[in-house]
Amino acid sequence: MVAHYLTERGREVLVLDRSGVARETSGRGEGNVLVCDKPAGVERDLAIVSRRLWTELGARFPQGRVTAKGSLLMYEGAGGDTAGALEPQLAPEITVRLDQDDLQVDSPGMARALLEGIEVRVGVDVTQVDAHTVTPASGERLRAEHVILAPGPWAAELTGLPVEPRKGQLAALSAPPGMIAHKLIDAAYADSVADEAAELSVATVIEQTLDGDEILVGSSRARVGFDATIDQDVTAAMITRAARFVPALAKLPIARQWCGFRPWLPDHLPAVGQLQSGVWASAGHEGSGVCLAPISGMLIAQLICAEAPLVNPNPLDPMRFSEN
Ligand SMILES: Cc1cc2nc3c(=O)[nH]c(=O)nc-3n(C[C@H](O)[C@H](O)[C@H](O)COP(=O)(O)OP(=O)(O)OC[C@H]3O[C@@H](n4cnc5c(N)ncnc54)[C@H](O)[C@@H]3O)c2cc1C
């Protein structure tokens, strides 16, 4: 997103990535762009602007498959309205709140579309960054007016920010097309995000994939470093909890399982802004990095180009973690 918005402003951009475009965390989620799950505050305000930017991008880049399927925040018992015909598979006691503007997107598809025409070098492992200089493992020294660091859950080393990986597992169940219409999200999800404990927390997210033949069930949160082992007990716990909301899920076969590492920061806000003269960071978006990608990319592009920013950048200032 940074590359896209800078290129749009006439800047020449070179993207370096050791694995590939959206091959890591950004290719491992459900691609939800949600406002419904965010309590009032800075992150929700950012999500509202970013969702609008996603919609604008979707109109220009169909490869991003930006789909306004809407979301239902689900309560076990009272809390919302009767779901009725909105989502027939829900258990009768579940009540819901609808946000019809929430989106599902194809994050890798959008990333590939935005990077068309921009130089991307993959397999490049960046080992050192100084003002205006990037040094990959090859020892080559690359010069740039600005260096933007967006290394996901691996950000701590290059940025010095206290970013840690927060593991999340997902399971894809084989399902008949059209079984679930909305993004379904547990009202307890926000508590799971805010829970800092290292041990496991599970809150339900359910949705049909954009391709339609699978239902994704998640998700877990655990601060266990970069341990990519798929824990069958976690999968079982996610499916059991999800079936409290949508009982039919318990009978669907598991087609695939995987995990990713959310880039977690202790104050639950991303770090988007300048680290030092000529060096910028966009990191620490935890479980909202797809949602907040456009506003993060836009903000850095606007700050670099000395434009009035769309949102107040101060709460996201990476320097809030510096000791001084
Ligand atoms: C299970 C799961 C579900 C999720 N679902 C959603 C969702 O529905 N909606 C949402 O908004 N968010 C979701 N998220 C969160 C979202 O995926 C992340 O916040 C987001 O992908 C972070 O993007 P990023 O670009 O910072 O990191 P990444 O996508 O991981 O990209 C970082 C890139 O930097 C590269 N890199 C790192 N270090 C170096 C280096 N030294 N040299 C060169 N390259 C380097 C990596 O190879 C990688 O390609 C989910 C996360 C998980 C784990």
Side-chain angles (χ1 to χ4, degrees), residues 22-312:
R23 289 290 295 275
E24 296 293 352
T25 329
S26 300
R28 291 168 189 256
E30 308 103 300
N32 294 134
V33 176
L34 301 180
V35 171
C36 80
D37 62 333
K38 300 185 176 56
V42 173
E43 195 189 10
R44 184 183 177 89
D45 295 345
L46 290 170
I48 291 169
V49 179
S50 210
R51 187 175 64 180
R52 178 168 57 73
L53 295 175
W54 262 113
T55 303
E56 288 169 16
L57 288 168
R60 292 172 57 196
F61 301 95
Q63 305 95 311
R65 298 198 282 174
V66 176
T67 310
K69 58 161 44 177
S71 62
L72 295 176
L73 199 59
M74 305 181 294
Y75 298 83
E76 291 187 271
D81 306 318
T82 313
L86 271 179
E87 203 64 78
Q89 295 287 343
L90 282 176
E93 67 276 15
I94 303 301
T95 61
V96 295
R97 282 202 202 148
L98 169 68
D99 187 329
Q100 58 193 10
D101 297 327
D102 276 346
L103 310 170
Q104 189 173 16
V105 304
D106 177 347
S107 170
M110 182 60 86
R112 286 190 294 268
L114 294 180
L115 289 172
E116 263 173 39
I118 296 176
E119 187 180 354
V120 180
R121 291 189 203 165
V122 298
V124 179
D125 190 10
V126 173
T127 53
Q128 199 185 329
V129 173
D130 306 300
H132 314 300
T133 311
V134 175
T135 312
S138 64
E140 182 189 8
R141 285 168 71 79
L142 300 163
R143 301 279 302 162
E145 188 184 347
H146 296 276
V147 179
I148 298 112
L149 295 168
W154 300 274
E157 207 174 313
L158 286 177
T159 64
L161 294 167
V163 174
E164 284 182 36
R166 202 181 195 192
K167 182 177 178 180
Q169 273 187 217
L170 282 179
L173 312 181
S174 301
M179 186 173 163
I180 302 285
H182 300 82
K183 162 76 184 188
L184 304 179
I185 185 157
D186 197 335
Y189 184 84
D191 296 335
S192 174
V193 173
D195 183 359
E196 311 220 343
E199 62 265 25
L200 180 69
S201 76
V202 171
T204 295
V205 288
I206 301 165
E207 76 255 89
Q208 199 109 19
T209 53
L210 288 167
D211 292 330
D213 56 350
E214 289 179 339
I215 288 178
L216 301 183
V217 172
S219 67
S220 62
R221 283 182 154 75
R223 283 166 59 203
V224 290
F226 287 100
D227 175 2
T229 315
I230 298 300
D231 184 335
Q232 296 302 334
D233 291 343
V234 172
T235 300
M238 294 192 307
I239 294 173
T240 301
R241 184 166 175 85
R244 278 160 50 175
F245 298 96
V246 179
L249 294 180
K251 297 198 180 69
L252 298 179
I254 299 173
R256 300 179 292 134
Q257 301 176 66
W258 66 94
C259 74
F261 299 100
R262 303 180 187 87
W264 176 89
L265 274 171
D267 63 0
H268 304 286
L269 275 181
V272 181
Q274 192 161 246
L275 284 172
Q276 55 169 290
S277 175
V279 183
W280 303 74
S282 181
H285 294 73
E286 216 270 343
S288 300
V290 172
C291 173
L292 299 180
I295 190 58
S296 304
M298 174 69 89
L299 196 53
I300 290 190
Q302 289 182 321
L303 293 173
I304 285 177
C305 297
E307 288 173 25
L310 261 184
V311 295
N312 175 9

